[in-house]
Amino acid sequence: MDSHIYGVSKKTLLLFTLLCLSVSSISALPHQNKTGNSTGTGQMINSNSVLVALLDSHYTELAELVEKALLLQTLEEAVGKHNITIFAPRNEALERQLDPEFKRFLLEPGNLKSLQTLVLFHIIPQRVGSNDWPGHKSNPSRHTTLCNDHLHLITKNSGKKVVGSADVTRPDDVTRPDGVIHGIERLLVPQSVQEDFNRRRNLRSISAVLPEGAPEVDPRTHRLKKPEPPVRAGSPPVLPIYDAMAPGPSLAPAPAPGPGGPHHHFDGESQVKDFIQTLLLYGGYNEMADILVNLTSLATEMGRLVSEGYVLTVLAPNDEAMAKLTTDQLSEPGAPEQIIYYHIIPEYQTEESMYNAVRRFGKIGYDTLRLPHKVAAQEADGSVKFGSGDGSAYLFDPDIYTDGRISVQGIDGVLFPEVEKESTSVKKSVSSVKVATTKPRRGKLMEVACIMLGTLGQDSRFTTCQ
């Protein structure tokens, strides 16, 4: 161990003194290190080095590849030993013109060797300026790169300088005492890296085969079921909308194929929020909007249906109609959901399409999301009338919202299925029958006895026979 003077070893003090006295003695100092490690390879890089110029230049994509390839120390050693030449592709060639799959391959951790080979393929351990390029009448010059591969430098008849398969767009773009940087139009890919990429890509395609299930037999024909034809993009979903609605707690239906599906071509959640916001901005439909906002599960289900490719038409009662709802109509569990379900038609209808239909056919029955009830529509007073009798409603504000997936039509009343009206009348009749049954009734046996006594001409003493 060396003795210390005020916290500094004698050897350190001696090195500092020799460094100040003579530059030539610096090369001899590493041999005095007792550990045997030479300090010559660990010298600090010069701020005027071509390597520093590359990291600070506009070739940011290549500089980033150098850092990701962990080649900074290797290039520092090369700069210390040689005068190097760097062929730097422009950023556009690495950002937009490079195959994304090939770029993903280079940046995978398991392909670090290929990335290092690619970067070192752009560096020659020799200074080759634009004046050192072979003329267009001369043979191509062959140079060995830092990855022990070869690059050919030629000059075309037009005077354009070429390295490998890339044109030199900015010759002598950056010049430093220990090297030069030439800007080129594209990335240079060595043959070994290209073969490695092709081999990995083929292995990936072989290993990514999806497993297939056992063939299914049709129980009716006892033959193998043929696969269904693929659904074209933009076609309606295969599943009925009722099967795609929110399932019960036992079993969930399969997702509906078609546009949207796993690729989410339609953003149903945003569209539902958009039409609710439109109701608020339109004015007069705040109650309907509040119900949809508070019934989060219903709004979520509508968004999911639209995302899976289904279309919906919402008959929206205005605020005056919603104010007429009684407490009894809303107090039963699930009543608000059932009311809204009866106002949603699983079709895309506009004012024009509905009016043309009722004018042509007189009366139309539209399916609703509240199975099995339908809502009737007919022409009345030059408009479309929904329902019948006291529970009818007119198309009041047509086409409040139409985006191709969701259509919102404003109406001036709240609709209820005909069955509910009949059930209300049945309840009233049942209550009247109960009142009638409070009177005393005669049994069958007593009636027979009274008839026999009457035929014999004898008056019965039973009060029930009188």
Side-chain angles (χ1 to χ4, degrees):
M1 298 293 293
D2 296 332
S3 60
H4 290 71
I5 302 177
Y6 299 106
V8 180
S9 65
K10 290 182 178 180
K11 181 177 291 185
T12 305
L13 185 61
L14 176 62
L15 293 178
F16 180 77
T17 305
L18 293 176
L19 180 62
C20 296
L21 293 177
S22 175
V23 176
S24 60
S25 62
I26 296 178
S27 59
L29 289 176
H31 301 286
Q32 300 174 6
N33 194 333
K34 292 182 179 181
T35 61
N37 296 331
S38 175
T39 59
T41 58
Q43 59 184 351
M44 185 177 296
I45 192 72
N46 192 342
S47 61
N48 197 31
S49 171
V50 68
L51 181 57
V52 177
L54 173 65
L55 298 178
D56 293 338
S57 67
H58 53 269
Y59 299 107
T60 56
E61 291 293 323
L62 179 62
E64 185 177 353
L65 287 183
V66 170
E67 294 180 359
K68 291 183 178 180
L70 308 178
L71 290 176
L72 286 177
Q73 184 176 356
T74 303
L75 296 184
E76 288 178 8
E77 296 175 358
V79 168
K81 297 178 182 178
H82 311 284
N83 208 296
I84 65 174
T85 301
I86 301 176
F87 301 103
R90 57 198 182 103
N91 288 338
E92 290 80 2
L94 296 175
E95 287 178 345
R96 293 186 290 271
Q97 299 177 3
L98 190 62
D99 181 10
E101 190 174 349
F102 180 66
K103 189 173 184 178
R104 193 181 309 113
F105 160 79
L106 291 176
L107 299 180
E108 288 179 357
N111 302 325
L112 179 62
K113 186 65 176 178
S114 298
L115 178 61
Q116 292 177 340
T117 302
L118 178 81
V119 173
L120 296 178
F121 188 63
H122 292 74
I123 304 174
I124 296 176
Q126 177 185 354
R127 187 184 187 93
V128 181
S130 58
N131 297 329
D132 302 325
W133 228 269
H136 67 278
K137 295 183 180 180
S138 304
N139 294 328
S141 59
R142 185 169 180 264
H143 297 271
T144 302
T145 64
L146 287 182
C147 66
N148 294 325
D149 211 329
H150 299 90
L151 281 176
H152 292 85
L153 278 60
I154 62 174
T155 303
K156 296 182 179 179
N157 295 333
S158 59
K160 195 73 173 179
K161 294 178 174 57
V162 179
V163 52
S165 58
D167 294 340
V168 179
T169 57
R170 305 180 71 166
D172 298 333
D173 190 18
V174 178
T175 57
R176 292 293 186 270
D178 56 355
V180 61
I181 300 177
H182 302 292
I184 58 178
E185 63 168 351
R186 68 178 66 180
L187 184 71
L188 301 174
V189 182
Q191 186 66 24
S192 60
V193 175
Q194 185 66 47
E195 292 176 355
D196 192 16
F197 169 65
N198 294 335
R199 183 168 57 255
R200 298 289 180 90
R201 181 169 53 180
N202 293 337
L203 290 175
R204 186 181 295 112
S205 62
I206 292 173
S207 61
V209 177
L210 296 176
E212 296 182 359
E216 297 183 9
V217 178
D218 192 340
R220 296 171 299 175
T221 60
H222 300 286
R223 295 181 180 179
L224 294 178
K225 285 186 177 181
K226 295 182 179 180
E228 297 182 359
V231 180
R232 297 181 59 184
S235 58
V238 176
L239 281 178
I241 190 170
Y242 308 103
D243 295 336
M245 289 173 62
S250 58
L251 181 63
H263 302 292
H264 300 288
H265 295 168
F266 306 114
D267 188 0
E269 183 179 354
S270 298
Q271 289 175 278
V272 170
K273 291 181 180 178
D274 190 26
F275 98 75
I276 294 176
Q277 186 69 21
T278 303
L279 284 178
L280 295 174
L281 295 177
Y282 191 86
Y285 294 89
N286 295 333
E287 295 293 333
M288 181 69 177
D290 289 343
I291 289 180
L292 291 174
V293 170
N294 293 326
L295 296 178
T296 309
S297 59
L298 177 59
T300 302
E301 183 176 358
M302 292 175 64
R304 184 179 61 82
L305 291 174
V306 174
S307 296
E308 292 180 357
Y310 298 96
V311 292
L312 302 174
T313 298
V314 181
L315 303 178
N318 57 16
D319 289 343
E320 294 181 5
M322 298 293 289
K324 296 178 182 178
L325 290 175
T326 63
T327 306
D328 294 337
Q329 291 173 326
L330 297 174
S331 60
E332 295 183 6
E337 290 91 340
Q338 295 302 320
I339 293 175
I340 301 301
Y341 275 137
Y342 189 63
H343 290 74
I344 300 178
I345 300 173
E347 303 175 20
Y348 186 79
Q349 297 288 345
T350 62
E351 178 199 18
E352 182 179 3
S353 63
M354 289 189 293
Y355 185 69
N356 290 339
V358 296
R359 284 194 61 185
R360 181 176 182 181
F361 301 104
K363 193 171 185 179
I364 301 294
Y366 291 109
D367 291 326
T368 66
L369 292 190
R370 184 175 178 180
L371 281 176
H373 306 297
K374 295 186 177 183
V375 59
Q378 57 186 334
E379 181 187 6
D381 302 329
S383 180
V384 181
K385 178 183 177 183
F386 300 97
S388 60
D390 297 337
S392 61
Y394 284 86
L395 184 57
F396 190 69
D397 289 318
D399 297 340
I400 296 177
Y401 182 88
T402 51
D403 66 349
R405 311 301 304 175
I406 301 176
S407 172
V408 181
Q409 307 293 328
I411 59 178
D412 62 353
V414 180
L415 302 174
F416 290 94
E418 293 292 334
V419 178
E420 290 190 355
K421 300 175 184 177
E422 295 176 0
S423 63
T424 305
S425 61
V426 168
K427 288 181 180 179
K428 293 181 180 179
S429 62
V430 169
S431 61
S432 62
V433 170
K434 288 182 179 179
V435 174
T437 55
T438 57
K439 297 180 180 180
R441 294 183 58 189
R442 295 182 297 184
K444 284 289 183 180
L445 184 60
M446 186 60 68
E447 282 188 5
V448 173
C450 293
I451 293 173
M452 291 178 64
L453 291 174
T455 56
L456 295 176
Q458 299 179 5
D459 297 333
S460 173
R461 290 175 297 176
F462 299 110
T463 57
T464 55
C465 291
Q466 296 176 359

